[in-house]
Amino acid sequence: MKQVLNHLTKQRQEKMALSVSATTSATATVFISFLLLLVRTSFCSDDNVNFKTVVPQSDADLLEFPLNLEYLEAELFLWASLGQGLDSVAPDLTMGGPPPVGARKATLDPFTNDVILQFAYQEVGHLRAIKSTVKGFARPQLNLSAEAFGEVMNSAFGRALNPPFNPYDNEINFLIASYVVPYVGLTGYVGANPKLQSPTSKRLVAGLLAVESGQDAVIRGLLYKRASEKVKPYGITVVEFTNRISELRNKLGSSGLKDEGLIVPNLRGAEGKIRGNVLAGDQNSLGFDRTPEEILRIVYGSGNERVPGGFFPKGGDGRIAKSHLQSP
């Protein structure tokens, strides 16, 4: 009888051990699966993974092209606010490209300098974000001289301003010069987004567009507050400067109305009911879009994507820009 009881007790202990073992094994499996999920999620987050192997080539081309504008904005804002550019602030991002021509510290009041400095570091971040997703290219040759901006203003007014317009002279001149740049880039992001295939690419462009739009809104807001002020010594109002610049960009882009100044006819204002135009938009107040070709026509100042000049004396870089430079 005692042997039978011992046998039954041993069987019960073995069953309990198997049960504990199975439970432990199942728990371990669940725990390991959870850890793998965490690791997978971590490595798939936009902050940690290098997407260069998963972004389609067509996306890569569209993501690389804006580097031209981001380099331009970064250097302009850094030099104006700090008196130095990427070679001092983030030399790794230049990839050995030549320093910009003519950039210098602007004469800005403390508030404007603070705003432009914020923009400057935001542009550095934009360069990093794009280059963490696609290979990118070295900083192209940029012309940020007073003469380059002076030519833009002369073209906008159809005559030579006297004295020549200098963006670095004071804060109002620099804000007007800044009006020229970020808006062009944001219309490019609006145009690129529907052409992108990868969610990674779309998320990146949406993030870039958000901040570029914010920069443009701040610039336009600061200028709108001074819309009726006359820019010395020209006797030309701030609003006329913005309207003429927008008209020039429409002309150079050669694709109809995609640009508006700070004051517009009622019919072109929001809902066709207002002249104030602190934010530019179409009939539904949606952002205008531009193609890379339209952007090149504008920043080259030539109205032709095959003819470099303006802010890019040797042309832009990346497959899209180079493909036009190589065209007959």
Side-chain angles (χ1 to χ4, degrees), residues 52 68 71 89 163 165-166 172 180-181 186 193 198 201 228 262 297 299 306 312:
K52 293 176 183 177
N68 291 294
Y71 275 124
V89 174
F165 181 89
N166 188 333
I172 192 64
V180 174
V181 182
L186 78 86
N193 197 54
S198 165
S201 304
S228 60
L262 296 176
R297 295 169 200 158
V299 296
R306 297 186 180 91
F312 294 86

Side-chain angles (χ1 to χ4, degrees), residues 68-86 100-106 108 113 116-117 119-121 123 139 142-146 148-149 167-168 173-182 219 311:
N68 291 294
L69 277 296
E70 299 291 355
Y71 275 124
L72 174 63
E73 294 174 46
E75 292 289 10
L76 176 63
F77 293 146
L78 282 170
W79 275 99
S81 59
L82 286 177
Q84 56 187 4
L86 286 171
V101 173
R104 67 178 179 84
K105 179 77 172 69
L108 305 174
N113 198 90
I116 299 304
L117 181 59
F119 289 177
Y121 283 121
E123 296 305 330
R139 175 182 55 194
L142 300 170
N143 184 357
L144 297 177
S145 66
F149 282 95
Y168 303 109
N173 280 22
F174 189 77
L175 287 173
I176 290 172
S178 298
Y179 178 90
V180 174
V181 182
I219 292 168
F311 299 120

Side-chain angles (χ1 to χ4, degrees), residues 146-157:
E147 290 76 16
F149 282 95
E151 284 301 316
V152 171
M153 300 308 166
N154 291 346
S155 297
F157 284 93

Side-chain angles (χ1 to χ4, degrees), residues 20-85:
V20 170
S21 176
T23 301
T24 302
S25 177
T27 302
T29 300
V30 171
F31 182 69
I32 292 172
S33 298
F34 179 69
L35 287 178
L36 289 173
L37 179 60
L38 286 179
V39 171
R40 185 181 303 167
T41 302
S42 173
F43 279 97
C44 289
S45 72
D46 286 0
D47 293 328
N48 296 301
V49 73
N50 186 330
F51 287 110
K52 293 176 183 177
T53 58
V54 297
V55 171
Q57 184 59 48
S58 59
D59 281 14
D61 292 338
L62 289 169
L63 293 177
E64 279 192 330
F65 178 79
L67 281 173
N68 291 294
L69 277 296
E70 299 291 355
Y71 275 124
L72 174 63
E73 294 174 46
E75 292 289 10
L76 176 63
F77 293 146
L78 282 170
W79 275 99
S81 59
L82 286 177
Q84 56 187 4

